[in-house]
Amino acid sequence: MTRILVIGDISLDLTLTTPHVPAPDEKVVCHDLKEGLGGVAANTAIAAARAGVDVVFAGCLGDDDASRAARHALQDAPLELRLSVRSGALCRAVTMVEPAGEKRLLLYPGLSIYPPRDAIEALDLDDIDHLHTAIYGDAGFRLIERARDRGITWSLDLEPATFPDGITQLACVIEGAEYVLVNDRAAEAIGPDAVGSLVDMGARHVIRTMGAKGASLHDAGKRQIAHVATPEGLPIVDTTGAGDCLAGWLLRSRQAGHTLETALTDAVMAATRACGRLGTQDAFPYHPSVQQEITT
């Protein structure tokens, strides 16, 4: 079976539902609260594992209470863990969810936003077939260099915070990437032709996610191979982590040998279902075969 390495951020998330975003000096009473494990990479790893992929997750923890809680949560997930530990505080996120399910997020990066370079150098890649990451800092460049040297394919989840000085700073890791996922915020930060820019940098496939409008798939010739609309009739409670769920299910469907078009269809459906509950990882769906293993 193909083994996928997901590497990157781990956070402890606090999610609140709010009737509206507070104005300056306004106190807004929230109706629901949920705490749990989060982070783009951790979310993607758990989504892929629930979908049925053999997943290795690598990240960095601190020595605070939040890090200890995160470790327990990760140990309960169906993942193989390759974690490093440093002195300091875990990444924290506070998410405000408005009535239509849209979110506003505050992030404290802590030290768990990405593993340090020495952890990347020590990471065992011998049993890895594909890796997925959102790069924060120089350590991620070294990770892709190691993958390229070993013939390991990779995919990237672009976050605007990962290229504050422009997308060209990621050009060397975009070149040769099997999949690059870009959402509305990242596309806006890249420029008017985000897909074309990524293809020109050498991305083999670009997945353009568009929230309620679904997602589209583009190849190295800049052709739109497929567009998958968001399924109608499903409840939308909280969109937090939907893109991470989509990435995890895309990886799973490709690992299962499905075409990219089928993989994207599966991924959009799973991501939409994940929006039906408050919070992130608890809302991620299981593949039916995985769910059957859990319940029998």
Side-chain angles (χ1 to χ4, degrees), residues 15-17 32-34 97 237-238 274-280 282-283:
T15 303
L16 304 166
T17 60
D32 297 292
L33 175 151
K34 192 172 186 64
V97 182
V237 176
D238 180 5
C275 295
R277 294 173 58 186
L278 186 67
T280 52
D282 287 347

Side-chain angles (χ1 to χ4, degrees), residues 115-188:
R117 187 179 175 104
D118 60 345
I120 295 296
E121 294 287 2
L123 190 62
D124 183 6
L125 300 180
D126 287 345
D127 57 346
I128 301 302
D129 301 289
H130 181 86
L131 73 84
H132 179 83
T133 188
I135 290 177
Y136 285 88
D138 292 341
F141 290 87
R142 176 57 182 151
L143 174 68
I144 301 304
E145 182 181 13
R146 291 192 63 204
R148 185 182 278 120
D149 289 344
R150 290 170 172 263
I152 299 170
T153 58
W154 71 93
S155 49
L156 301 174
D157 197 337
L158 295 184
E159 296 279 314
T162 65
F163 52 97
D165 299 321
I167 192 62
T168 55
Q169 74 182 96
L170 296 182
C172 64
V173 295
I174 291 171
E175 182 180 4
E178 191 68 27
Y179 318 113
V180 177
L181 290 91
V182 57
N183 62 16
D184 287 339
R185 292 285 184 184
E188 182 180 357

Side-chain angles (χ1 to χ4, degrees), residues 19 37 95 148 151 239 245 275 278:
L37 189 68
T95 304
R148 185 182 278 120
T239 60
C245 183
C275 295
L278 186 67

Side-chain angles (χ1 to χ4, degrees), residues 29-280:
V29 177
C30 297
H31 304 297
D32 297 292
L33 175 151
K34 192 172 186 64
E35 291 182 296
L37 189 68
V40 171
N43 288 343
T44 300
I46 288 177
R50 287 190 173 194
V53 179
D54 186 7
V55 180
V56 178
F57 177 69
C60 182
L61 294 175
D63 56 3
D64 59 341
D65 289 341
S67 293
R68 285 184 278 275
R71 180 183 289 276
H72 287 309
L74 286 167
Q75 289 172 336
D76 288 339
L79 305 169
E80 179 184 324
L81 301 177
R82 298 179 185 177
L83 303 174
S84 59
V85 178
R86 291 191 291 167
S87 178
L90 191 79
C91 176
R92 300 291 194 98
V94 177
T95 304
M96 296 180 290
V97 182
E98 297 179 86
E102 288 301 321
K103 61 186 181 296
R104 307 292 179 95
L105 190 145
L106 299 171
L107 180 72
Y108 170 71
L111 55 74
S112 59
I113 200 73
Y114 211 79
R117 187 179 175 104
D118 60 345
I120 295 296
E121 294 287 2
L123 190 62
D124 183 6
L125 300 180
D126 287 345
D127 57 346
I128 301 302
D129 301 289
H130 181 86
L131 73 84
H132 179 83
T133 188
I135 290 177
Y136 285 88
D138 292 341
F141 290 87
R142 176 57 182 151
L143 174 68
I144 301 304
E145 182 181 13
R146 291 192 63 204
R148 185 182 278 120
D149 289 344
R150 290 170 172 263
I152 299 170
T153 58
W154 71 93
S155 49
L156 301 174
D157 197 337
L158 295 184
E159 296 279 314
T162 65
F163 52 97
D165 299 321
I167 192 62
T168 55
Q169 74 182 96
L170 296 182
C172 64
V173 295
I174 291 171
E175 182 180 4
E178 191 68 27
Y179 318 113
V180 177
L181 290 91
V182 57
N183 62 16
D184 287 339
R185 292 285 184 184
E188 182 180 357
I190 291 169
D193 183 14
V195 170
S197 296
L198 294 170
V199 169
D200 287 343
M201 290 180 196
R204 293 175 179 169
H205 299 93
V206 176
I207 292 92
R208 176 72 171 86
T209 61
M210 297 168 283
K213 296 180 182 179
S216 58
L217 170 67
H218 305 259
D219 67 9
K222 302 184 183 180
R223 295 181 306 124
Q224 179 175 300
I225 300 172
H227 177 267
V228 179
T230 302
E232 298 180 358
L234 296 177
I236 304 298
V237 176
D238 180 5
T239 60
T240 309
D244 309 333
C245 183
L246 184 148
W249 273 73
L250 181 83
L251 294 173
R252 178 265 163 195
S253 195
R254 287 296 286 161
Q255 179 269 343
H258 298 159
T259 66
L260 275 168
E261 295 92 328
T262 299
L264 188 61
T265 300
D266 290 347
V268 170
M269 173 61 78
T272 306
R273 290 190 179 279
C275 295
R277 294 173 58 186
L278 186 67
T280 52

